[in-house]
Amino acid sequence: MKIEATGEFGVRVARHAALADPARLRIVDLLTLGDFSPTELQAELGMPSNLLSHHLRTLEDAGLAVRRRSEADRRRSYFHLAAGALEGLVPGGGLGARRVLFVCTRNSARSQLAAALWQQASHVPSMSAGTHPADRVAQGAIDAARRHGMDLEGCLPRTLDQVAEGGDFMVTVCDNAHEELPGLAGAHWSVPDPVRLGTEEAFEAAFADIARRVQGLAPRVLTA
């Protein structure tokens, strides 16, 4: 019998081969929750940096993980799952949470969009907050939400201290907030800031990125 690993079949073979290693499978399981820097993965896994680099390169080569440079500290990078990386595969078990709290720096775009998208995808309540809130929600975020049938007009940026409660599953959606709050329990999504560019394309890209991540996480979060 002749089996050639070409085309889509070859992609599947490469991904299964990459996931056959216990360490790489653990890394992917972590990335189903959010984005991690190599330093954070090293702390989670307790392995030498050179070995971790080998595993991360293997995951990149197999099309399972993508590296993105931090917007806060350009010397730092984050790994996240590639779009469609785990189609046909089931991630780990469920997570219990009283509420999901999305956090970014200004609470003016990404966290607001994430909370609104979450409300459409899950029965678990959601809120959003910022470490240094803006005066208002960005018009680009309001416009992007409206294009997708959602309304952010009445939303106001709020501080993390005002909103956070015990039992929250916290998701940081910007690198600045994540790096300002080290050791925070929950997940991190390294979503580029659309406000920096201010274009419709930038807000649509952020919306699509967050929507994909919400759809991936929502089935795993159960009411605590």
Side-chain angles (χ1 to χ4, degrees):
M1 181 172 62
K2 184 178 180 181
I3 300 177
E4 293 185 7
T6 59
E8 292 185 5
F9 183 72
V11 172
R12 289 177 59 204
V13 170
R15 291 180 179 180
H16 279 284
L19 293 172
D21 183 273
R24 291 195 287 270
L25 184 60
R26 176 60 179 150
I27 292 171
V28 168
D29 199 37
L30 288 169
L31 295 182
T32 63
L33 297 176
D35 302 356
F36 286 79
S37 69
T39 301
E40 291 166 341
L41 286 171
Q42 189 176 359
E44 286 281 344
L45 300 170
M47 67 171 54
S49 60
N50 60 338
L51 180 57
L52 176 63
S53 295
H54 163 71
H55 288 313
L56 291 174
R57 281 195 302 271
T58 301
L59 292 174
E60 287 183 281
D61 292 343
L64 288 165
V66 177
R67 185 193 307 258
R68 176 179 290 153
R69 188 69 59 185
S70 169
E71 289 186 341
D73 183 347
R74 301 297 293 176
R75 297 167 298 178
R76 189 180 180 113
S77 60
Y78 290 100
F79 282 85
H80 65 89
L81 283 185
L86 298 182
E87 288 181 359
L89 299 176
V90 180
L95 303 164
R98 191 188 65 81
R99 186 179 66 173
V100 177
L101 177 58
F102 294 97
V103 181
C104 66
T105 305
R106 306 286 283 168
N107 191 212
S108 64
R110 289 166 288 183
S111 55
Q112 296 281 358
L113 290 170
L117 281 161
W118 185 269
Q119 290 167 11
Q120 295 184 338
S122 174
H123 294 297
V124 178
S126 67
M127 292 285 287
S128 69
T131 54
H132 306 283
D135 294 330
R136 65 178 75 84
V137 176
Q139 188 62 46
I142 294 173
D143 293 341
R146 184 183 298 116
R147 287 192 293 270
H148 294 274
M150 299 186 304
D151 184 9
L152 296 183
E153 287 283 1
C155 296
L156 295 173
R158 285 168 290 189
T159 67
L160 181 58
D161 291 341
Q162 288 176 321
V163 176
E165 297 179 358
D168 285 343
F169 183 83
M170 203 168 296
V171 181
T172 51
V173 294
C174 88
D175 297 337
N176 283 288
H178 177 63
E179 294 170 25
E180 186 179 345
L181 303 167
L184 196 67
H188 173 52
W189 297 348
S190 181
V191 180
D193 184 6
V195 177
R196 291 191 179 188
L197 294 178
T199 64
E200 180 178 320
E201 292 77 13
F203 281 97
E204 283 295 321
F207 185 95
D209 191 358
I210 294 168
R212 175 182 63 83
R213 294 169 182 273
V214 165
Q215 290 300 320
L217 181 61
R220 301 187 60 198
V221 178
L222 310 174
T223 303

